Amino acid sequence: MSSPSRYNPSRRGLLKSGAVLGATAGVGAVTAGSAEAATAAEPARGQSEKPMVDVPFEGFENVRVGLIGLGNRGGGQDVRFGAVSTVTAVCDIRPAQVTRTIGRIMAQGFQDTPPVGYSNGEEDYLNLVKRDDIDLVYIATPWEWHYPQAKAAMEHGKHVAIELPISPHLHEIWDLVRTSERTRKHCMLLENVNYFRPELQMFNMVTAGLFGDVQHASGGYVHDLRWPYLFGGAYYPEYWRRRWQTRMNALHYPMHGLGPVSAAMGINRGDRFDELVAVSSPPKALALFRSEDSRVGPDHSSWDDAPYISGDRHTAFVTTASGRFIRVEHDVNSPHPYTRETTLTGTRGSIELDNARVYLESLGHNNHSWRTGSSYSSILTQHDHWLWPALERLAEQYGGHGGGDFIAIFRLIQLMRLGMTPDIDVYDSAAWCSVIPLSHESMKTPHLRPVKIPDFTRGHWKSARPTFDRPRPDDPWLEER
């Protein structure tokens, strides 16, 4: 097993580990050496590829889950999966993390048989995905592993839920879409913020027509990660996320704000992303922090980093096929309080979730003053999504970002059990994550020239289809609790 200080898998090795399983599939996946610049390329569907639009899960009496990655993120999600499903296998390159997770799952008392552990090197996950007692694979590993692990899981007949992003590379995003269509297995971004209470309330308010015709929105991720996340060892290996700043000048992680506003705007359900243009400030903050912060000593691994090339602040404008736009923000390097920049404006009003204020002509607001405080809370509460009142007690018990993590996991498992379609599908996941490589491409073009965003649905975005707007289903599991 690689030592923590030198764990840095090669792109060739990663692609090989994922591609070996699909070598006989005839998909014609793009290789790692292909240029990201082919941004508008929309490959024709192969004979074995069929749309995953409106394709329900098979329906499961009990969903069996395999967990890959048990660190900063996966190491907290384990008990949430254990509360709503059966965890049959777990995997991490650190044996201690595997042992810890097995103990945490069994301490809950929900299952009699402990999960099988896999920790024999970097590719032991391949043995996990081959098991025949897993229905869903959850992936919470460093970003470079998401693509090969998700592809391998689908090739072996498993649905996949992935922490953000599904991949930072456009050709890998496309290959995950095509692998999903060929294997008939869902591949979903487990975007927890879409299930946060204010975001679901905003979605319901849009559905109710309170904003009129939605015209534009903003969303992203502005969160100072310098300590403890980028330099302080909160991740494992401690440098894995920081070193992405040496590889791409991009909006590396905008989906927390982008996902909820995209859902509220009906992206891939009547509208779609069309073009993107991005800008960034110079990359200064990380090198400055490394040189000035006393916690970063002379032996710290950051001194082995290549030069940081990703700007400190990024802004992208995404236009849609119907002429609307979304402003997307990303900054994890600067000293700045946390915000997702979530705003939405229509012909009848506006909302700013981070500032907790709303203005709605549809409710008689006509004095140019935001509704805040109890007035704001009252309006949002009237449009509460059924998930929160139904699960509030369990969300408080299992937690995770105020309970939103638990609700996201519960909802995924519920959809699988009841044989429903995903709230967030492979096309949503692909569109939201494509902002990463496309912003990188945009900033290489002269004079702020926009780049085209592929239609990952290949035409199916034109039709409305259900997502977070579905009513509460009959669910015996939920009624028993």
Side-chain angles (χ1 to χ4, degrees):
M1 185 171 68
S2 297
S3 64
S5 63
R6 295 301 170 200
Y7 173 67
N8 194 12
S10 69
R11 293 278 302 147
R12 175 180 294 181
L14 288 170
L15 287 168
K16 180 181 178 182
S17 67
V20 164
L21 295 167
T24 61
V27 177
V30 183
T31 65
S34 301
E36 291 280 15
T39 57
E42 297 171 10
R45 279 196 172 94
Q47 193 169 18
S48 61
E49 298 167 9
K50 296 180 172 54
M52 291 297 286
V53 170
D54 292 329
V55 175
F57 290 106
E58 302 94 311
F60 300 88
E61 182 176 349
N62 175 42
V63 179
R64 302 165 300 176
V65 179
L67 310 178
I68 304 177
L70 308 173
N72 180 272
R73 183 61 173 155
Q77 297 280 61
D78 52 0
V79 294
R80 297 175 193 120
F81 276 104
V84 297
S85 64
T86 298
V87 178
T88 55
V90 298
C91 178
D92 194 278
I93 60 174
R94 295 166 292 173
Q97 289 300 108
V98 169
T99 300
R100 171 187 179 271
T101 295
I102 292 173
R104 281 162 58 87
I105 294 294
M106 296 309 295
Q108 292 181 287
F110 294 129
Q111 59 188 69
D112 297 326
T113 304
V116 176
Y118 293 88
S119 58
N120 187 24
E122 297 169 0
E123 295 194 356
D124 208 14
Y125 74 88
L126 292 169
N127 293 312
L128 181 147
V129 302
K130 293 174 183 177
R131 296 181 63 91
D132 59 6
D133 59 354
I134 296 175
D135 307 305
L136 171 73
V137 170
Y138 165 73
I139 297 171
T141 52
W143 298 341
E144 51 261 48
W145 288 98
H146 290 185
Y147 163 70
Q149 290 170 344
K151 183 177 175 68
M154 286 187 285
E155 296 284 8
H156 279 280
K158 279 72 175 175
H159 300 290
V160 183
I162 314 173
E163 288 293 342
L164 289 57
I166 62 171
S167 171
H169 298 292
L170 191 62
H171 62 276
E172 292 180 351
I173 293 172
W174 261 120
D175 195 36
L176 290 178
V177 170
R178 302 183 71 177
T179 301
S180 175
E181 292 185 338
R182 175 172 48 80
T183 62
R184 317 306 296 153
K185 294 300 173 183
H186 287 293
C187 178
M188 303 149 290
L189 192 70
L190 193 65
E191 178 45 85
N192 58 335
V193 180
N194 275 77
Y195 293 91
F196 287 8
R197 197 165 203 162
E199 278 75 4
L200 283 173
Q201 290 167 333
M202 178 183 71
F203 179 92
N204 278 352
M205 292 167 70
V206 171
T207 303
L210 294 187
F211 298 100
D213 293 330
V214 176
Q215 299 285 60
H216 60 84
S218 69
Y221 188 74
V222 178
H223 187 188
D224 182 358
L225 296 183
R226 292 171 301 169
W227 194 274
Y229 298 100
L230 297 184
F231 289 92
Y235 293 133
Y236 181 86
E238 62 85 18
Y239 56 73
W240 78 256
R241 186 161 176 174
R242 187 183 67 243
R243 287 187 179 171
W244 277 98
Q245 303 256 346
T246 71
R247 300 168 186 168
M248 301 171 70
N249 183 22
L251 285 81
H252 294 281
Y253 194 80
M255 292 76 69
H256 279 328
L258 177 61
V261 297
S262 298
M265 294 175 72
I267 298 301
N268 290 337
R269 292 162 176 81
D271 200 1
R272 75 171 186 90
F273 294 166
D274 183 34
E275 290 185 335
L276 175 150
V277 62
V279 295
S280 74
S281 65
K284 295 184 176 182
L286 295 189
L288 181 66
F289 183 87
R290 179 179 61 185
S291 65
E292 292 185 345
D293 194 282
S294 60
R295 294 168 293 186
V296 182
D299 296 329
H300 195 275
S301 67
S302 61
W303 295 104
D304 294 330
D305 292 351
Y308 301 119
I309 64 170
S310 193
D312 294 334
R313 179 79 175 209
H314 296 86
T315 298
F317 282 89
V318 174
T319 58
T320 75
S322 66
R324 303 181 294 172
F325 72 85
I326 302 173
R327 175 175 55 83
V328 191
E329 299 289 344
H330 182 265
D331 185 346
V332 298
N333 301 348
S334 303
H336 194 294
Y338 178 60
T339 175
R340 292 188 292 274
E341 300 279 345
T342 306
T343 72
L344 184 142
T345 297
T347 56
R348 298 295 184 188
S350 299
I351 191 169
E352 297 181 357
L353 291 189
D354 294 273
N355 295 321
R357 59 189 190 180
V358 65
Y359 186 82
L360 293 166
E361 288 185 343
S362 59
L363 295 185
H365 303 171
N366 58 10
N367 62 352
H368 302 284
S369 296
W370 291 101
R371 268 48 177 183
T372 60
S374 60
S375 177
Y376 169 85
S377 299
S378 175
I379 293 169
L380 266 67
T381 299
Q382 293 174 42
H383 297 277
D384 218 1
H385 195 281
W386 67 263
L387 275 165
W388 275 92
L391 291 164
E392 196 159 13
R393 180 182 59 80
L394 291 172
E396 182 177 349
Q397 178 181 351
Y398 290 102
H401 294 94
D405 292 353
F406 172 78
I407 287 186
I409 289 171
F410 163 82
R411 177 60 169 170
L412 170 58
I413 299 301
Q414 180 189 55
L415 294 169
M416 294 183 68
R417 285 190 289 101
L418 300 182
M420 300 173 67
T421 57
D423 289 334
I424 300 170
D425 63 21
V426 68
Y427 306 113
D428 303 319
S429 307
W432 303 349
C433 295
S434 72
V435 169
I436 302 169
L438 295 179
S439 64
H440 177 72
E441 277 308 311
S442 173
M443 285 182 281
K444 293 179 356 186
T445 63
H447 310 302
L448 297 180
R449 187 175 301 161
V451 296
K452 296 296 290 184
I453 302 175
D455 171 17
F456 295 99
T457 74
R458 288 179 275 201
H460 287 277
W461 63 270
K462 298 177 183 178
S463 301
R465 50 197 170 91
T467 175
F468 302 97
D469 52 344
R470 288 176 283 190
R472 176 175 174 170
D474 293 330
D475 186 353
W477 188 99
L478 190 57
E479 300 303 330
E480 292 172 1
R481 288 158 177 81

